[in-house]
Amino acid sequence: MSDEILNGVLLDDDCMLTLAELSRACAMHAEWVMELVDEGILEPRGTGIARWQFSAPELHRARTVLHLQRDLGVNLSGAALALELLDEIQDLRQQLHRFKSRC
Amino acid sequence: MEFEDYYEVMGVKRDATQDEIKRAYRKLARKYHPDVSKEADAEEKFKRLGEAYEVLKDPEKRAAYDQLGKNWKAGQDFNPPPDWDAGFEFSGGGFTGGGGDSQAYSDFFESLFGQRSGGFTGAGASQRGFHMRGQDHHAKVLIDLEDAYQGATRNITLQVPEVDPSGHVITKQRTLKVRIPKGVKQGQQIRLAGQGAPGMGQGGSGDLYLEIEFKPHPFYRVEGRDVYLELPVAPWEAALGGKVKVPTPAGVLDLRIPPDSGSGKKMRLKGKGIPGRQPGDFYVQLKIVLPPAASDKAKVLYEKMKQELPFNPRAALGV
C-alpha cells in the first residue's frame, strides 16, 4: 500500500454530471439513462440531451434502479414505484424518529 | 474453510423443486436487497443468498453439490474431496451476478465451482488494437460524525478483480488512503478519478466513487447538515435557568438555559451543525431528569416541595 493520500472530488449539492458521466458510473448505455428520464425517475436540468445535467443524488437513484432491475427482475416502472415508496419510507422513518425523541 | 449449507441459506428443503427454489430466492432477495432492506447485515445476507441461488438454480451444479453428501453441517470445516466434480460440466462462467460491481464469492464456493470468469482477456483484446476505458467502481465508506466536522483520512480496502497471465480472473485486495473532506453529508459521494478498474489498450482507468455513510452515534442524530441532541437537565436548571455544558462534535460548548424552560424545549445553536458553505445548525432539546428519591435527604426535599409548591401538573386535563 502506498502512503499517498488521495484527494477526491466531493460531489456536493451543486456538482452536476453529464449524460456520459452518469452512464459510465452505472456501467450502462446512455439509452438506458434516457429511458430513466422518460420514466420520470431522473429529471436532468438543461434543454437537449447534449446539455443534460444530473445531480449527485440522481446518480444514487440511477444505481438503485440498476440494482433493482438486475437483482430482483423489476421492470422500469416497477423500479420507479419502488423508489418512490423507499423515499416515502425514509421520510416516515425520520418523522418517527423525531416523534420518538419528543416523547 | 467452512461448509456452506445452501439449502439452509435459502430456507428450502433438500428435495425442493426448481420452482420452489426460484420462489424462495425472489422472496428473500426482496427481503435482503441492500437498497431496500433495513436489516443490519442485509448486504452480507444478500451475498450469501446470491451464492446459494447460483448453485441451486442450476440443476447440474445442484446435483454436484448434493453428491457431497447430506451429512455436512453449515460451519463445519470443509475441503472438497478430490475429483468431487467428475462427471459434471460447469466450466466456470455463466454466473448471474455479473454487472459492474465486483463481488467475490466465498472461498467455499470458489473451491467447488471456480472463480467468476472475466468478460474478455486483456491480452487478446489489446493485440487487436482494442481500447476501452476501465469500469467505474463504487464503494461505501463508514465515518464518524466527528470526521464530517474535522475531515479525516480513511483506509479503504477494495476487492479488485484482475486478469492473471493465464486469463483467469482473480480477486485482489487493494488498500487506498483517502482524504474525507470536512463538511461531508450522509449519502454524499466522492469521486476519485482514475482509481477504478484499469482500462484496455490505451483506454484510461475508470473512476472510484465512494459513498459516505455515518456510523450511528449514541446521542447525536443527523439530518442533512443539522445535528440534534437530547440534553438531560436537572429540574432546577430548567426552572431557574443558567449555564450548562453541551457536548457537540466540535467540542464542549456553554449553553444558557432561560428560566422556566419546560421539558422538550428546543434551542438552536446556529452554524454549529456540520460545517460547509451553508453550515448546519445544532439543535438541543431539553429533557428534564428527576433526581431519584433514593436517599432520606432527597425524600425530605421532595416532601418539602409537595407541601410548599402549589402545583397541579394535570390542571390542563381538568382533574
Side-chain angles (χ1 to χ4, degrees):
Chain A
M1 178 185 126
S2 81
D3 275 342
E4 188 199 356
I5 298 176
L6 301 167
N7 281 304
V9 178
L10 179 67
L11 306 184
D12 56 14
D13 297 345
D14 33 55
C15 172
M16 302 300 275
L17 293 103
T18 63
L19 176 60
E21 283 175 316
L22 185 75
S23 321
R24 208 160 59 203
C26 297
M28 294 296 276
H29 292 295
E31 285 76 11
W32 178 79
V33 177
M34 286 151 76
E35 281 178 41
L36 264 62
V37 175
D38 282 343
E39 193 66 45
I41 297 173
L42 304 178
E43 292 173 343
R45 276 190 239 162
T47 47
I49 294 173
R51 291 207 198 91
W52 272 358
Q53 300 260 291
F54 299 89
S55 67
E58 282 184 305
L59 168 59
H60 195 272
R61 286 176 84 76
R63 284 179 49 77
T64 304
V65 170
L66 177 66
H67 297 155
L68 293 174
Q69 282 188 314
R70 202 178 58 200
D71 304 330
L72 303 183
V74 175
N75 67 15
L76 216 49
S77 38
L81 176 64
L83 268 185
E84 277 167 29
L85 294 175
L86 285 171
D87 285 348
E88 202 177 322
I89 290 173
Q90 203 193 340
D91 279 355
L92 292 172
R93 280 214 172 92
Q94 284 211 328
Q95 279 185 39
L96 182 69
H97 207 110
R98 249 174 267 158
F99 183 75
K100 266 189 188 161
S101 64
R102 213 174 295 154
C103 295
Chain B
M1 180 172 21
E2 290 182 353
F3 184 81
E4 288 271 358
D5 187 340
Y6 289 143
Y7 290 98
E8 192 182 292
V9 170
M10 295 200 62
V12 293
K13 290 206 188 93
R14 292 195 153 255
D15 57 359
T17 64
Q18 291 305 116
D19 278 346
E20 282 167 344
I21 286 171
K22 186 176 158 191
R23 281 197 287 269
Y25 172 75
R26 290 277 162 144
K27 208 167 163 182
L28 290 172
R30 283 194 296 269
K31 186 169 173 197
Y32 292 123
H33 196 281
D35 285 312
V36 178
S37 175
K38 281 288 150 194
E39 309 234 356
D41 49 356
E43 208 157 332
E44 181 57 32
K45 281 192 174 140
F46 188 70
K47 218 174 102 179
R48 288 180 65 202
L49 176 68
E51 186 175 306
Y53 187 53
E54 195 62 60
V55 175
L56 299 189
K57 73 163 186 200
D58 178 340
E60 190 92 22
K61 283 193 191 126
R62 184 181 174 189
Y65 176 80
D66 283 348
Q67 63 116 47
L68 284 172
K70 298 186 179 76
N71 299 326
W72 290 100
K73 293 266 179 318
Q76 240 176 333
D77 193 45
F78 173 82
N79 274 308
D83 295 329
W84 76 277
D85 57 349
F88 292 102
E89 274 186 42
F90 40 81
S91 50
F95 297 152
T96 42
D101 302 318
S102 45
Q103 63 170 57
Y105 286 117
S106 68
D107 291 344
F108 172 76
F109 181 95
E110 290 189 343
S111 78
L112 294 179
F113 302 104
Q115 288 150 342
R116 183 198 298 273
S117 68
F120 33 57
T121 58
S126 59
Q127 271 162 14
R128 266 172 259 126
F130 182 85
H131 305 296
M132 189 181 167
R133 189 181 177 278
Q135 268 189 348
D136 289 347
H137 283 172
H138 297 259
K140 268 188 187 161
V141 51
L142 267 183
I143 64 165
D144 292 312
L145 174 60
E146 286 81 358
D147 295 335
Y149 273 71
Q150 276 117 40
T153 314
R154 277 277 170 284
N155 287 335
I156 289 147
T157 305
L158 302 164
Q159 309 276 349
V160 190
E162 275 181 23
V163 181
D164 71 7
S166 58
H168 291 108
V169 175
I170 48 170
T171 314
K172 279 197 173 166
Q173 285 207 343
R174 188 163 71 112
T175 305
L176 299 174
K177 225 176 221 181
V178 179
R179 194 179 313 280
I180 310 294
K182 181 175 158 172
V184 291
K185 286 192 294 186
Q186 162 92 17
Q188 260 182 343
Q189 307 193 57
I190 296 174
R191 179 167 55 195
L192 295 153
Q195 295 295 334
M200 306 262 172
Q202 281 160 29
S205 291
D207 297 338
L208 171 63
Y209 286 83
L210 292 179
E211 187 179 324
I212 300 287
E213 200 173 297
F214 289 156
K215 285 181 207 161
H217 197 281
F219 42 86
Y220 300 127
R221 188 167 59 83
V222 187
E223 258 178 56
R225 283 210 161 81
D226 296 334
V227 180
Y228 294 80
L229 170 71
E230 189 181 67
L231 185 72
V233 290
W236 49 90
E237 287 172 332
L240 307 175
K243 251 197 325 191
V244 296
K245 296 221 175 292
V246 183
T248 77
V252 178
L253 297 176
D254 284 325
L255 175 70
R256 182 168 293 282
I257 297 178
D260 243 341
S261 295
S263 200
K265 183 184 172 64
K266 259 192 191 162
M267 300 172 77
R268 185 173 71 147
L269 296 167
K270 200 169 167 4
K272 298 291 180 192
I274 295 178
R277 232 173 314 149
Q278 286 172 315
D281 297 327
F282 190 89
Y283 290 92
V284 172
Q285 190 167 29
L286 302 185
K287 182 188 172 190
I288 296 176
V289 179
L290 295 181
S295 66
D296 287 342
K297 196 168 178 184
K299 279 187 192 131
V300 170
L301 284 168
Y302 276 124
E303 198 61 47
K304 199 167 176 193
M305 280 210 288
K306 178 181 164 188
Q307 273 153 26
E308 297 188 17
L309 282 179
F311 176 56
N312 178 8
R314 289 166 298 277
L317 304 182
V319 290

